[in-house]
Each structure stands twice: as structure tokens, then as C-alpha cells.
């Protein structure tokens, strides 16, 4: 492990931050061991564990693997046409084992917690990580405690309960749930995947860069759009592209990386747009992208730097714009995303309008969570339903306009 601030190096032990300066730690590897030739990869699992040389487990055979990752990269021609792009892809992480990208970091973190000899795992969560950690802890046979704020989607809590987790709910924001979780980890010696196992946890999400390049025949896209909550995901994807470049597996400087947030909680976008190099926390987040409602993002500052270094942008979308993007994605490509997933499509639309994404760029939108987790975002309105009561003969007037609405 290497400290991102002071550069000191440490053994991959029970470390959550740099013991010398309290800075964040990044994993690094013996890059000479990497053999990602077609012959080698074709014999590997179709999950994040196919990239085992760049995942922080000493013995990858002991990975807790529910099959996270290796999700489809879908070419999205109908959506591209609607947005005015030539080449657009959707990285469809809605089909992971617990239906969000969080299975990637949870698989790595629960595996690492076992390797480090922890007997209890858990997390602080805006919803998706709760389900992902609970499922992987079930597979590992470890008890699991998840700390959640008030007001997150009931579906996500139900998922975590079904996987056998104990829910600990704080009457406040995510940031408060996170603080409570940190104290519990210290007091009881638990492995909380996104807190004291964070340096290992974040490594799981890098696979979102590896897979996209493998699926494009080891070419990098020109531009990727990534949702931001804590900023860990965007930062990890950037690290992944950087590792591929260092390994010579992709050419050029790597894609521009743009970040997307909900307008009611957009501390990283605000910092980007006002040219600041620090994050001003949002006191009371309010967005339908509840998974992204983190007022004081732990990796926000690093996500901001990654965006700027890559030549990308940051954009926020209102609740209405996100809801419209969910429907746009659904009706053009047959893909149902939750608000935190579709926010990338909403942001992309605005970035194209602003000229920040070129029409000839090869673009990848990360769709990180499944719409069935937050169905209220497309609660049916009068306009969606033709109610025919008990009169089973449909008149022409009743279906007039049908066929237009799909476009
Ligand atoms: C569906 C979804 N997308 C994106 C994110 C953002 O990830 P991060 O908090 O690592 O920035 C989250 C976080 O919970 C999420 O649930
Ligand atoms: Zn340090």
C-alpha cells in the first residue's frame, strides 16, 4: 500500500489510512505478473476475479465470488441518435448479483476482511452497498451490520434483510450513519467495508475500467460519464484506466472522465464549476438519486482532481431531468436504471448541449444501479395509463396518440 499524500509504503495489513500522515492508501502491485493475453483471460472466471493480479487479495482462490462484474457493454444506437452522438455504449451494471455496481467493491472487501481475520463485517450505506455487503457476508458465512440513514428506498433495505444483515438506522443523514459506523468498527473490531477496509474496497470498482477496455478490444473510449456519491467509484475507475496505460494495454492518455450528481446534492460539481480545489459539504442533501446523497464525500477532492486531470467535466441534474433520463434510457434501449444510474444519461445530455462532449467521441455511460430498486422514480401518471374500466372494447379515441409516445 502507498500513501496518496506522503508516498510512504506499507504492508497490506489492517490499515484504513496512512499510519504516518493519515492520508488515504492506494494498493499497488507487481505489474510484471500481469498476463492478460486472450489465451490467459479466456480461461478465467467471468467476474471481477478474472483481473486477480490487480486485486488486493493474497490468495484469489479464496475470493468471496457471487459473480460480480463482467457485465454487458451495450452499444446504444437508438439513445445515441436521440442525443446526437455517433458511438455510445452503456456499461450495464444493473445486472450484478444484487443489482448494482457495489457488488464489485463488496466482493473484494469481504474477501479481504476474511483474509485479515475479521469475524464480523458491515458498512455504512446509502442503500446499494447494504445489499451488496449483506449478500457477500452471507456467502462468506459472516455476520453483517449495516448502518443506514433515514429515508433510503425500502427495497434496498428489504434486500439487505433478506440476505440476513442486521440493520442499524440513524435518524439523520448518511454522514451521521457513517460516523456511527466508524465508532462501532473501532469499539467492536468489525470490518466495515467502506470505512476501515476502504483502501481494499475501492479496488473492486477499478474493474469497471478494465472490462470496458477488454470489451472494446483493448481500446479506451474517448469519454466516460460516472456518477459521484463519495467519489470512490470515479477515483477507482480513473486508477483502473491509469493502470491499463502503465501496462501498455491501452494507448494514449486515457479517456476524459466526467462526473454526474443530483442537483440537490452536488458538492463535487459545485467545486468543479466554481473553480475551487476544495469541497464545501452539503448540509441537507435532497435528490431522488438517494444513493448519491452524500453531503461530505470522502473521496470528493480526489474525484475532482481526476476529472480535471483527465480533461473531463462535472454536471448535475435535477430530479425532473433524472426522471426524464430514466424514461429515455428505458424507451430507447430497454434498460431500467435507478436515479443514481440514469443521472449519467441526464448529465451527458447537458454536456452535449454545452459542447463539452463532441458528437464524434466514443462515449461510455456507466449505469450503476437497477431501476427495480427505486421504482417510485417512474410512478405511473394519468398520461401513462389508458384506463378502460370494465368496458373491454377499446375505442380508437382511447388509444389515439399511442405509437407517437414511443418516438
Ligand atoms: C447506484 C450507485 N451509483 C453510484 C454510486 C456512487 O459511488 P461512490 O459513492 O463510490 O461515489 C453509488 C453509491 O452508493 C450507487 O449506489
Ligand atoms: Zn502518508
Amino acid at each position: 500500500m502507498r500513501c496518496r499524500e506522503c508516498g510512504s509504503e506499507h504492508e497490506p495489513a489492517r490499515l484504513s489510512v496512512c499510519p504516518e500522515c493519515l492520508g488515504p492508501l492506494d494498493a499497488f502491485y507487481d505489474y510484471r505478473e500481469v498476463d492478460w493475453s486472450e489465451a490467459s483471460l479466456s480461461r478465467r472466471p467471468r467476474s471481477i476475479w478474472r483481473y486477480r493480479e490487480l486485486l488486493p487479495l493474497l490468495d484469489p482462490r479464496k475470493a468471496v465470488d457471487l459473480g460480480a462484474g463482467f457485465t454487458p457493454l451495450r452499444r446504444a444506437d437508438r439513445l445515441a441518435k436521440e442525443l446526437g452522438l455517433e458511438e455510445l455504449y452503456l456499461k450495464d451494471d444493473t445486472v450484478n448479483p444484487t443489482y448494482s455496481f457495489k457488488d464489485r467493491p463488496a466482493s473484494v472487501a469481504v474477501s479481504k476482511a476474511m483474509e485479515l481475520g475479521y469475524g464480523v463485517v458491515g458498512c455504512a450505506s446509502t442503500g446499494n452497498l447494504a445489499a451488496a455487503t449483506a449478500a457477500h457476508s452471507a456467502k462468506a458465512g459472516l455476520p453483517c451490520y449495516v448502518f443506514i440513514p433515514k429515508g433510503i428506498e425500502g427495497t434496498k433495505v428489504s434486500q439487505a434483510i433478506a440476505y440476513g444483515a442486521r440493520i442499524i438506522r440513524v435518524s439523520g443523514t448518511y454522514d451521521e450513519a457513517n460516523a456511527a459506523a466508524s465508532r462501532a468498527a473501532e469499539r467492536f473490531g468489525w470490518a466495515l467495508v467502506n470505512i476501515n477496509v476502504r483502501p481494499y474496497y475501492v479496488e473492486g470498482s477499478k474493474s469497471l475500467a478494465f472490462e470496458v477496455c477488454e470489451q472494446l478490444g483493448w481500446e479506451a473510449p474517448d469519454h466516460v460519464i460516472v456518477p459521484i456519491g463519495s467519489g470512490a467509484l470515479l477515483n477507482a475507475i480513473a486508477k483502473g484506466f491509469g493502470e491499463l496505460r502503465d501496462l501498455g494495454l491501452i494507448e494514449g492518455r486515457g479517456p476524459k472522465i466526467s462526473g454526474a450528481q443530483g442537483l440537490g446534492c452536488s458538492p463535487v460539481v459545485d467545486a468543479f464549476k466554481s473553480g475551487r480545489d476544495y469541497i464545501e459539504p452539503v448540509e441537507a442533501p435532497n435528490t431522488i438519486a438517494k444513493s448519491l446523497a452524500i453531503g461530505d464525500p470522502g473521496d470528493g477532492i480526489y474525484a475532482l482532481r481526476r476529472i480535471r486531470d483527465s480533461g473531463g467535466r462535472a454536471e448535475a441534474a435535477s430530479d425532473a431531468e433524472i426522471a426524464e433520463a430514466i424514461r429515455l434510457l428505458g424507451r430507447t434501449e430497454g434498460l431500467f436504471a435507478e436515479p443514481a444510474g440514469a443521472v449519467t444519461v441526464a448529465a451527458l445530455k447537458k454536456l452535449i448541449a454545452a459542447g463539452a462532449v463532441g458528437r464524434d467521441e466514443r462515449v461510455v455511460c456507466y449505469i450503476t444501479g437497477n431501476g427495480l430498486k427505486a421504482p417510485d422514480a417512474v410512478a405511473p401518471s394519468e398520461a401513462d395509463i389508458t384506463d378502460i374500466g370494465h368496458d373491454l372494447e377499446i375505442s380508437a379515441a382511447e388509444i389515439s396518440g399511442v405509437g407517437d409516445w414511443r418516438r
Side-chain angles (χ1 to χ4, degrees):
M1 308 301 284
R2 187 181 291 127
C3 175
R4 208 179 294 164
E5 294 298 336
C6 76
S8 63
E9 294 181 5
H10 307 275
E11 286 302 310
R14 288 192 181 196
L15 285 173
S16 53
V17 291
C18 171
E20 281 161 42
C21 78
L22 304 182
L25 294 167
D26 289 316
F28 66 99
Y29 302 85
D30 185 353
Y31 292 94
R32 292 166 306 184
E33 279 183 9
V34 176
D35 172 13
W36 289 355
S37 61
E38 210 176 320
S40 171
L41 282 180
S42 67
R43 290 192 302 267
R44 299 192 185 193
R46 296 170 72 81
S47 77
I48 61 167
W49 294 101
R50 69 199 276 100
Y51 307 113
R52 60 184 180 234
E53 297 98 323
L54 299 192
L55 291 174
L57 210 59
L58 300 179
D59 184 356
R61 286 169 306 183
K62 294 194 182 146
V64 182
D65 188 2
L66 287 173
F70 217 69
T71 56
L73 182 69
R74 305 189 189 278
R75 177 131 187 181
D77 286 338
R78 277 175 42 80
L79 179 58
K81 194 164 166 223
E82 192 109 357
L83 296 174
L85 289 178
E86 279 164 22
E87 195 176 353
L88 172 65
Y89 299 85
L90 306 169
K91 180 59 172 165
D92 182 5
D93 250 29
T94 70
V95 295
N96 271 305
T98 74
Y99 312 104
S100 86
F101 90 94
K102 292 282 186 183
D103 287 320
R104 298 170 185 270
S107 176
V108 171
V110 172
S111 303
K112 191 69 190 180
M114 294 212 44
E115 192 175 85
L116 292 171
Y118 284 100
V120 176
V121 297
C123 63
S125 176
T126 52
N128 285 322
L129 186 58
T133 306
H136 286 86
S137 75
K139 184 75 180 163
L142 295 178
C144 178
Y145 293 88
V146 304
F147 291 77
I148 57 169
K150 260 182 35 185
I152 66 173
E153 295 94 345
T155 2
K156 294 173 182 172
V157 183
S158 297
Q159 260 189 300
I161 291 170
Y163 301 132
R166 181 79 206 167
I167 311 294
I168 299 171
R169 187 168 55 205
V170 176
S171 298
T173 62
Y174 170 80
D175 295 306
E176 288 174 86
N178 196 65
S182 295
R183 284 177 212 178
E186 214 156 285
R187 175 150 183 206
F188 303 117
W190 298 342
L192 294 196
V193 299
N194 57 333
I195 300 176
N196 54 348
V197 196
R198 193 171 182 84
Y200 306 106
Y201 158 88
V202 296
E203 289 291 287
S205 302
K206 283 187 326 195
S207 51
L208 277 164
F210 300 160
E211 285 173 24
V212 162
C213 293
E214 185 182 351
Q215 288 165 319
L216 291 174
W218 295 110
E219 278 184 28
D222 299 318
H223 206 139
V224 300
I225 322 287
V226 183
I228 301 176
S230 75
L233 168 65
L234 188 144
N235 205 48
I237 287 175
K239 183 172 187 262
F241 284 119
E243 287 178 334
L244 294 183
R245 206 175 42 218
D246 293 347
L247 284 164
L249 284 167
I250 57 170
E251 286 173 9
R253 64 188 288 248
K256 289 182 220 165
I257 301 174
S258 288
Q261 296 193 290
L263 204 50
C265 184
S266 54
V268 178
V269 176
D270 295 346
F272 178 86
K273 289 194 173 181
S274 54
R276 275 189 271 117
D277 57 5
Y278 61 94
I279 306 287
E280 221 159 73
V282 171
E283 291 267 323
N286 181 15
T287 166
I288 52 164
K290 292 176 197 279
S291 320
L292 306 181
I294 300 181
D296 191 6
D299 281 300
I301 186 82
Y302 299 106
L304 182 63
R305 283 183 204 159
R306 293 288 201 176
I307 291 168
R308 289 198 173 123
D309 291 348
S310 74
R313 300 274 278 262
E315 191 54 81
S318 69
D319 286 1
E321 287 166 338
I322 293 170
E324 159 56 23
I326 291 173
R327 286 173 180 250
L328 176 63
L329 188 58
R331 79 172 147 77
T332 54
E333 297 297 336
L335 204 165
F336 185 21
E338 68 167 289
V343 71
T344 54
V345 173
L348 174 60
K349 204 171 163 182
K350 296 175 92 167
L351 290 171
I352 293 168
V357 173
R359 295 182 183 274
D360 57 348
E361 284 186 296
R362 181 192 253 187
V363 180
V364 174
C365 253
Y366 285 101
I367 311 295
T368 49
N370 196 302
L372 291 174
K373 283 170 166 277
D376 290 350
V378 277
S381 77
E382 290 277 306
D384 295 311
I385 296 173
T386 303
D387 207 330
I388 61 169
H390 291 293
D391 178 7
L392 306 188
E393 207 70 59
I394 305 161
S395 71
E398 280 170 320
I399 54 164
S400 71
V402 173
D404 302 343
W405 56 267
R406 195 173 193 111
R407 266 171 287 170

